[in-house]
Amino acid sequence: MFDRRSSNAAFDESENKEAVVLVHLNFNDINFKESEQEFIELVNSTGAEVATIVHGKRRVPDSKFYAGKGKVDEIREHVLASGATVVIFNHELSPSQERNLEEKIQCRVIARTGLILDIFARRARSHEGKLQVELAQLKHMSTRLVRGWTHLERQKGGIGLRGPGETQLETDRRLLGHRIKSLKKRLSKVRSQREQGRRSRQKADVPVVSLVGYTNMGKSTLFNRMTSSDVYADDRLFATLDPTLRRLKLMKTQGLVLADTVGFIRKLPHDLVESFSSTLEETRSAALLLHIVDAGSSEREELLEHVNEVLHKIDADEVPQVIVCTKIDKTDDHEARIDRDKDGKIWRVWLSAQSGEGIDLLRQVLSENFPEESS
């Protein structure tokens, strides 16, 4: 019998790639193909090996299994044939749907949020980032708490914690609640320290320029190019999770701070946006946003819209922004240039962070927005 206690960790940390079966159902979504490509990239970011992708078309989700009973049987067959140990849905599943699917398929079932949380857990490097990830994980898991949480007792001593007549589930929920409360308290201290640093920069009148954009657009590569830093950059979703700030002083500009932040994706769960609110605080308080987008992407305008939707959610949509079209070295149009509006104000710049072409134009953008203060 399948044991749900093994489902707390999304993927095994072994050298052998874990085989997974993906499920992507079409509910008349006009962005179905693009959503699937992002889904595959998310799974690849975990290091798992995709055994197969199961498709289906429905008008509405099934209340019990999300997918129809026949489709669940098909998924089960693929699991048996491939030896897969995890089934991942590119959808949000209710706790009961996850349980029903696991009992029917007899292996772990993970929804989209669980997949993203697994990637976040792998990417977090700083103390704050790890606390944020754990908090988001526990909040997510608390809605799926059924049994198998006795390992939490060992963190608190275990003996003597259970109240009179209290069930194991009640005990586990209480322990989980204590842990969430503790994490929130620790995060509050970290956020206070970050806020002190932010106030110090504001007091010193040092503007913050924040890099924002869809994940895997080359933000960290551009950040490294501009600041001569060595922030980790890779062709994977969420390669950067923790915010990084560096001083930036250019000719004819006042002193600046450049901030590299976590990338956004489609349908970023609200709970994750909330959990990483302090990480995104640099974006809210920035003097200027550099909105990074792939110049050669056929989805360029759509991705710009997705990011602007998230900026609206975090109350950063009123911050002035300049669109930075990167990766022009991979397009037919290799010209680095600046686009201005009818009033002569810069609204877009074209460059390649990889080759360095057009970086001087970005410096010009910053010089015009933050001219050197006359003495």
Side-chain angles (χ1 to χ4, degrees), residues 94-352:
S94 69
S96 62
Q97 286 169 337
E98 274 192 20
R99 291 193 295 272
N100 292 336
L101 285 164
E102 288 182 338
E103 289 173 5
K104 185 75 173 176
I105 301 172
Q106 289 294 290
C107 79
R108 287 178 288 162
V109 173
I110 298 172
R112 180 181 171 84
T113 297
L115 172 64
I116 296 171
L117 282 170
D118 182 86
I119 298 170
F120 276 21
R122 293 165 184 264
R123 300 290 188 267
R125 295 291 180 270
S126 71
H127 176 61
E128 180 183 12
K130 291 175 180 178
L131 290 176
Q132 287 175 317
V133 169
E134 186 180 355
L135 179 60
Q137 285 178 323
L138 292 181
K139 283 184 174 180
H140 178 67
M141 290 176 181
S142 65
T143 64
R144 284 147 173 79
L145 188 59
V146 180
R147 61 180 181 273
W149 284 77
T150 52
H151 66 281
L152 289 172
E153 287 189 33
R154 292 195 292 271
Q155 300 178 15
K156 290 286 189 176
I159 297 174
L161 287 176
R162 187 185 301 242
E166 187 176 67
T167 66
Q168 183 63 57
L169 179 58
E170 290 169 334
T171 301
D172 291 342
R173 279 179 174 156
R174 180 165 49 78
L175 291 169
L176 191 60
H178 288 328
R179 181 61 178 165
I180 289 175
K181 186 177 180 181
S182 172
L183 286 172
K184 285 182 176 180
K185 188 174 181 180
R186 291 166 65 185
L187 267 172
S188 179
K189 291 182 179 179
V190 175
R191 287 168 181 166
S192 295
Q193 294 170 354
R194 184 183 289 278
E195 182 60 31
Q196 286 177 358
R198 191 177 294 113
R199 284 199 297 266
S200 296
R201 289 194 298 273
Q202 291 172 345
K203 190 174 181 180
D205 200 21
V206 180
V208 174
V209 177
S210 184
L211 303 181
V212 299
Y214 194 80
T215 187
N216 203 25
M217 288 291 108
K219 294 189 302 301
S220 295
T221 301
L222 180 60
F223 182 86
N224 289 338
R225 173 71 68 172
M226 292 293 292
T227 62
S228 299
S229 300
D230 57 355
V231 171
Y232 180 69
D234 195 5
D235 187 24
R236 294 186 298 173
L237 299 188
F238 298 116
T240 301
L241 182 59
D242 299 309
T244 306
L245 286 76
R246 294 286 187 276
R247 287 270 184 172
L248 183 65
K249 182 67 175 77
L250 306 174
M251 293 291 290
K252 299 181 181 179
T253 69
Q254 55 180 292
L256 302 173
V257 169
L258 196 63
D260 185 20
T261 58
V262 62
F264 303 141
I265 61 169
R266 290 181 182 88
K267 302 175 184 175
L268 188 64
H270 177 75
D271 288 345
L272 296 188
V273 174
E274 194 175 90
S275 295
F276 286 81
S277 59
S278 65
T279 302
L280 299 170
E281 186 63 39
E282 298 299 342
T283 301
R284 275 194 292 268
S285 62
L288 178 69
L289 302 181
L290 296 181
H291 191 155
I292 316 301
V293 64
D294 186 342
S297 173
S298 60
E299 303 176 76
R300 190 174 70 210
E301 297 305 317
E302 183 186 337
L303 296 181
L304 280 167
E305 186 177 329
H306 280 302
V307 172
N308 283 329
E309 287 175 1
V310 178
L311 291 175
H312 177 71
K313 286 181 182 178
I314 64 172
D315 299 324
D317 52 324
E318 296 298 324
V319 180
Q321 64 172 261
V322 171
I323 297 172
V324 180
C325 295
T326 62
K327 306 182 182 182
I328 62 170
D329 52 312
K330 297 181 180 179
T331 66
D332 294 332
D333 182 6
H334 294 279
E335 181 189 1
R337 65 185 187 275
I338 285 177
D339 293 339
R340 297 178 183 268
D341 61 22
K342 61 182 180 180
D343 297 320
K345 188 176 180 180
I346 297 173
W347 71 279
R348 184 168 60 186
V349 58
W350 303 75
L351 55 81
S352 169

Side-chain angles (χ1 to χ4, degrees), residues 23 25 58 61-62 65-69 71-72 75 89 101:
V23 180
L25 306 179
R58 293 184 62 89
D62 179 76
F65 294 112
Y66 196 88
K69 188 176 182 300
K71 187 60 62 178
V72 175
I75 296 168
F89 276 68
L101 285 164

